[in-house]
């Protein structure tokens, strides 16, 4: 089994696409991923890119996707340690990287800030890997 940490943009893309994730894969993310995804959807509605009905429909589909969520003491501490070691002022991206280091084989991300920080810290995989 391959374990992938996904970010909020990938989560939205997976439910928008509707293709099933490969049977041999497990999706993992920090506890806050659904809130992060909902923030993106809210922004898309505000910009006129999505209707509220469509955004809320995607939200419902996100909650039905099998996803292992982590937010335990160890992963929070690992995020803290990463942020301190790299001089980052926030923990949002550090949480995704910490969960990847602790529980996954690779990170699948589309968020530019997360991708920029991930290079050299965790292995990366393309979105297409989720469907193989």
């Amino acid at each position: 089994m391959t374990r992938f940490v996904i970010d909020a943009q990938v989560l939205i893309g997976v439910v928008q696409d509707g293709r099933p994730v490969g049977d041999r894969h497990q999706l993992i993310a920090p506890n806050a991923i659904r809130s992060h995804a909902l923030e993106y959807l809210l922004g898309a509605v505000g910009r006129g890119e999505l209707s509220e009905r469509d955004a809320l429909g995607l939200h419902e589909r996100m909650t039905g996707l099998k996803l292992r969520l982590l937010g335990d003491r160890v992963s929070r501490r690992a995020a803290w340690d990463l942020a301190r070691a790299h001089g980052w002022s926030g923990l949002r991206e550090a949480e995704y990287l910490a969960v990847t280091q602790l529980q996954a084989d690779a990170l699948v991300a589309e968020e530019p800030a997360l991708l920029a920080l991930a290079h050299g810290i965790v292995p990366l995989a393309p979105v297409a890997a989720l469907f193989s």
Side-chain angles (χ1 to χ4, degrees):
M1 174 176 289
T2 305
R3 297 165 301 169
F4 293 110
V5 169
I6 61 169
D7 70 6
Q9 288 185 10
V10 170
L11 174 58
I12 292 168
V14 166
V15 297
Q16 276 180 322
D17 189 39
R19 286 191 302 166
V21 173
D23 290 340
R24 301 178 321 228
H25 303 318
Q26 180 182 32
L27 301 181
I28 305 170
N31 271 337
I33 188 171
R34 290 189 178 118
S35 293
H36 296 161
L38 199 55
E39 286 177 9
Y40 282 113
L41 294 175
L42 180 63
V45 170
R47 291 185 301 276
E49 298 168 0
L50 274 177
S51 70
E52 186 165 346
R53 178 182 175 164
D54 289 342
L56 293 175
L58 288 170
H59 176 254
E60 284 300 314
R61 293 194 347 237
M62 284 188 306
T63 61
L65 185 67
K66 187 174 179 182
L67 187 60
R68 182 172 171 221
L69 301 176
L70 295 174
D72 59 283
R73 180 182 347 174
V74 173
S75 60
R76 288 190 313 266
R77 176 58 191 261
W80 176 274
D81 291 344
L82 272 170
R84 294 290 295 150
H86 294 280
W88 303 334
S89 62
L91 292 173
R92 183 176 178 146
E93 290 85 6
E95 286 188 88
Y96 287 90
L97 300 178
V99 169
T100 304
Q101 285 181 333
L102 294 169
Q103 295 289 329
D105 299 302
L107 171 67
V108 177
E110 292 185 340
E111 296 177 29
L114 179 56
L115 285 169
L117 296 176
H119 287 285
I121 296 177
V122 297
L124 298 170
V127 174
L130 301 176
F131 305 108
S132 63

